[in-house]
Amino acid sequence: MKYGLIKVAAAVPVVKVADVEYNVQQIESLIAQAEGKGVEIVVFPELCITGYSCQDLFREQLLLDKAEEGLMLLLDFTRKLDIISVVGLPVVVNGLLYNCAAVIQRGSILGIVPKTYLPNYGEFYEKRWFASAQDLSPADFYIAGSPASISPEPVIFTTGDGVKFGIEICEDVWAPIPPSNNLALAGADIILNLSASDDLLGKHQYLRSLVAQQSARTISAYVYASCGFGESTQDVVYGGAAMVFENGKQLVEGDRFSLQPQIQIAQVDVERLRTERRHNTTFINAQRHASARLVVAKSVSPRDFELIREVNPHPFIPKEADMQSTCEEILNIQVAGLAKRLYHINANKAVIGISGGLDSTLALLVTVKAFDKLGLDRKGIIGITMPGFGTTDRTYNNAMTLMKTLGVTVREINIAKAVTQHFEDIGHDASVHDITYENSQARERTQILMDVANQVNGLVVGTGDLSELALGWATYNGDHMSMYGVNAGVPKTLIRYLVTYVAGEMATDTLLDIVDTPISPELIPADKNGKIKQKTEDLVGPYELHDFFLYYFLRFGFRPQKIYVLAQKAFDKTYNDATIKKWLTTFCRRFFTQQFKRSCLPDGPKVGTVSLSPRGDWRMPSDASYTLWIKECENL
């Protein structure tokens, strides 16, 4: 395992019912394929060595003996293989027959796990042949010439590099209290299910939902392998489901009803799962009474690392199919938060600075929706555009058009004269376009907004977004400050989509032009053609990279090395390695040094799973050292 990632596989062989020799050959072939692709754990269907559909043949001693011989052949085949294989077979213990999973590695049996819940309805009458784990007394015995132990108590297996997994068999996952509940609470990162589920109209959709929910509820990876084509007989058909979920999200799924054997490989992020569990206090509280016997597998030889997971370059952006509902949900959260604040302080006036840029545009749209929701007159929204030394005609015109279109009160206050006077007061040369030159303008604008709010007994609505807060890309006590920051939980990449979505609703070209405008604070004079000269992403880096870094740094606590590897995959055709390293280093440096700005943020609504509020999700000392993170960035 490297970077907390482990390759797992769900394998579906084409078997022949009661033909053990043939079935073992098929299983060996898939184990070899999985080993060749770097898989560390592979799970096969229920009773795959004999076939699940043997019915009363399970009473025949010959079949049971051959099943044991089949396991012996698999042990011999895997003697030099690191891969952990989990196969199903009938096992006789103390005169009773159990439906079991055998966990094998390097020619050894790591453990035998019996099935707990036996169906006895429809086409399935397992109680006719098998005893339940609930009827079992712990026993040590020999099978396939090897010592083994079996017990009704939960068992967790640990790989050589510390990944923990547990096993349940088919019907177990349908139970009101599945074995996987206790397994996950006792520390299993991955649940393997050996299954033999027949296909009926609508059943697979329900099964997929059930597995996804169990994966999400236990914050685990769930690897499910069910028998396929070769098992279909008499009145039942088996489609051969093979799927892997991680915390409720499907990573892979095979083709059902295939006539060919298949193996579905996925890369599970164990580190991500463990981070989720540490942050989930409900999960932590439930762990108190969970226990399981631990079985340690042999260590695995080092493997060449290959990242095969799909990595979304824009983790904050909803899928296209969910875009409308997600955008509506985000806007509703922002609107509800602002509406409550206005209602609470009995304010019917709001003051907002409108620059013609993305952030102030979204903040204005949210404010308008909040006023509409409260039944307030939109004229109570005082939109103030404050042209300065760097304001371009494009952003100025867009700001004015937007305010007029939305029917808010429009005010224009040019800050050039006041800022020039301020430069004289503090003895600053106006030809020197340094940080003082820039921040003086930002603070003048904030002073205007605050004082106008006092005049009208209103509320200053902040426009700064989550990405700017992460990077500290705001003037302290300038645009950094407001009375309620509606965009505080929304990253820059998502703001583009939200404004674009509203543009589709309003059918206005102004919003689309704002989306296309380069991001800039416009604090430096424009170029000779009147175009924006100061482009934020040229100075601080691409926001799509920073939002990617922010998501994995904050959501899962990943170290720079892992974020770098994920970014290489996500932005393979967009940025080279040197560019990713450069801006990742910048992100780490700025994130640490700018915490002091986040420690005194105004209130604002939490929108997603990532937040930087010092009162909520992120509580960090302002003087923490970034040495560890920067050193790792430098060594990439």
Side-chain angles (χ1 to χ4, degrees), residues 161-201:
D161 46 15
V163 177
K164 297 178 180 179
F165 64 92
I167 293 168
E168 58 186 15
I169 304 175
C170 195
E171 191 77 9
D172 291 348
V173 74
W174 299 83
I177 305 177
S180 52
N181 284 9
N182 189 77
L183 291 167
L185 291 172
D189 307 295
I190 302 170
I191 305 298
L192 310 176
N193 188 306
L194 302 81
S195 185
S197 183
D198 67 332
D199 278 271
L200 301 170
L201 182 64

Side-chain angles (χ1 to χ4, degrees), residues 168 173 180-181 184 189-191 208-223 244-251 273 277 283:
E168 58 186 15
V173 74
S180 52
N181 284 9
D189 307 295
I190 302 170
I191 305 298
R208 184 196 288 119
S209 173
L210 180 67
V211 172
Q213 289 176 26
Q214 187 62 1
S215 170
R217 186 163 44 247
T218 58
I219 314 180
S220 65
Y222 202 104
V223 187
V244 180
F245 285 80
E246 180 184 281
N247 197 14
K249 178 184 177 182
Q250 184 175 290
L251 300 183
L273 292 170
R277 288 179 175 181
F283 187 92

Side-chain angles (χ1 to χ4, degrees), residues 254-456:
D255 296 324
R256 291 162 59 226
F257 305 110
S258 173
L259 304 187
Q260 304 300 319
Q262 61 172 314
I263 183 166
Q264 295 298 317
I265 299 171
Q267 205 162 35
V268 170
D269 194 333
V270 173
E271 182 182 349
R272 182 171 179 161
L273 292 170
R274 290 175 178 173
T275 300
E276 292 278 23
R277 288 179 175 181
R278 286 197 300 272
H279 293 173
N280 189 309
T281 54
T282 302
F283 187 92
I284 294 169
N285 291 337
Q287 283 184 302
R288 293 175 182 174
H289 306 295
S291 63
R293 180 165 56 91
L294 201 62
V295 176
V296 181
K298 296 177 175 63
S299 60
V300 176
S301 301
R303 299 170 181 265
D304 291 334
F305 176 76
E306 176 193 11
L307 182 61
I308 64 170
R309 289 170 65 96
E310 288 297 319
V311 182
N312 183 359
H314 304 115
F316 289 109
I317 306 304
K319 295 178 181 177
E320 193 63 38
D322 304 325
M323 186 66 72
Q324 180 175 348
S325 61
T326 303
C327 288
E328 281 291 338
E329 185 79 359
I330 293 168
L331 289 168
N332 283 337
I333 291 171
Q334 292 179 278
V335 169
L338 178 58
K340 172 59 191 296
R341 179 54 55 87
L342 291 166
Y343 177 82
H344 176 69
I345 63 175
N346 196 28
N348 59 8
K349 297 288 194 299
V351 179
I352 181 169
I354 308 300
S355 66
L358 275 173
D359 292 350
S360 65
T361 296
L362 179 60
L364 178 59
L365 293 171
V366 168
T367 306
V368 166
K369 287 177 177 287
F371 267 59
D372 291 349
K373 194 176 188 71
L374 291 169
L376 299 176
D377 186 349
R378 289 189 182 184
K379 289 297 181 183
I381 302 172
I382 294 89
I384 307 178
T385 186
M386 295 168 279
F389 304 127
T391 303
T392 61
D393 291 343
R394 181 180 185 179
T395 54
Y396 171 79
N397 291 331
N398 280 339
M400 296 296 288
T401 301
L402 181 65
M403 289 188 287
K404 290 174 182 176
T405 300
L406 293 173
V408 305
T409 298
V410 181
R411 290 192 63 179
E412 179 180 344
I413 302 175
N414 194 299
I415 66 169
K417 183 177 179 181
V419 174
T420 299
Q421 178 62 53
H422 180 63
F423 287 159
E424 292 180 10
D425 293 341
I426 66 173
H428 182 74
D429 185 348
S431 66
V432 178
H433 298 166
D434 58 4
I435 194 71
T436 304
Y437 180 88
E438 295 184 24
N439 285 350
S440 294
Q441 297 174 68
R443 292 195 179 99
E444 175 62 24
R445 285 174 171 142
T446 300
Q447 175 179 257
I448 289 170
L449 295 175
M450 293 288 181
D451 291 346
V452 171
N454 290 157
Q455 282 182 328
V456 301

Side-chain angles (χ1 to χ4, degrees), residues 363-557:
L364 178 59
L365 293 171
V366 168
T367 306
V368 166
K369 287 177 177 287
F371 267 59
D372 291 349
K373 194 176 188 71
L374 291 169
L376 299 176
D377 186 349
R378 289 189 182 184
K379 289 297 181 183
I381 302 172
I382 294 89
I384 307 178
T385 186
M386 295 168 279
F389 304 127
T391 303
T392 61
D393 291 343
R394 181 180 185 179
T395 54
Y396 171 79
N397 291 331
N398 280 339
M400 296 296 288
T401 301
L402 181 65
M403 289 188 287
K404 290 174 182 176
T405 300
L406 293 173
V408 305
T409 298
V410 181
R411 290 192 63 179
E412 179 180 344
I413 302 175
N414 194 299
I415 66 169
K417 183 177 179 181
V419 174
T420 299
Q421 178 62 53
H422 180 63
F423 287 159
E424 292 180 10
D425 293 341
I426 66 173
H428 182 74
D429 185 348
S431 66
V432 178
H433 298 166
D434 58 4
I435 194 71
T436 304
Y437 180 88
E438 295 184 24
N439 285 350
S440 294
Q441 297 174 68
R443 292 195 179 99
E444 175 62 24
R445 285 174 171 142
T446 300
Q447 175 179 257
I448 289 170
L449 295 175
M450 293 288 181
D451 291 346
V452 171
N454 290 157
Q455 282 182 328
V456 301
N457 194 28
L459 176 84
V460 175
V461 177
T463 63
D465 63 56
L466 181 65
S467 306
E468 293 178 342
L469 294 177
L471 296 168
W473 193 252
T475 298
Y476 192 83
N477 206 36
D479 52 318
H480 156 260
M481 193 47 61
S482 67
M483 297 172 183
Y484 193 80
V486 292
N487 294 340
V490 188
K492 188 77 76 176
T493 50
L494 183 54
I495 286 181
R496 287 186 183 276
Y497 279 82
L498 289 169
V499 174
T500 302
Y501 169 73
V502 177
E505 277 190 330
M506 294 177 56
T508 170
D509 292 336
T510 302
L511 288 178
L512 294 178
D513 190 59
I514 289 171
V515 170
D516 290 336
T517 302
I519 299 169
S520 172
E522 291 193 314
L523 299 172
I524 299 296
D527 64 20
K528 61 182 179 182
N529 297 314
K531 300 291 179 67
I532 293 173
K533 183 178 181 181
Q534 184 186 29
K535 297 179 181 178
T536 299
E537 291 181 292
D538 290 345
L539 301 170
V540 78
Y543 273 115
E544 64 175 348
L545 276 180
H546 285 306
D547 283 359
F548 183 90
F549 302 152
L550 173 64
Y551 179 79
Y552 285 104
F553 179 85
L554 214 62
R555 183 74 174 79
F556 302 108

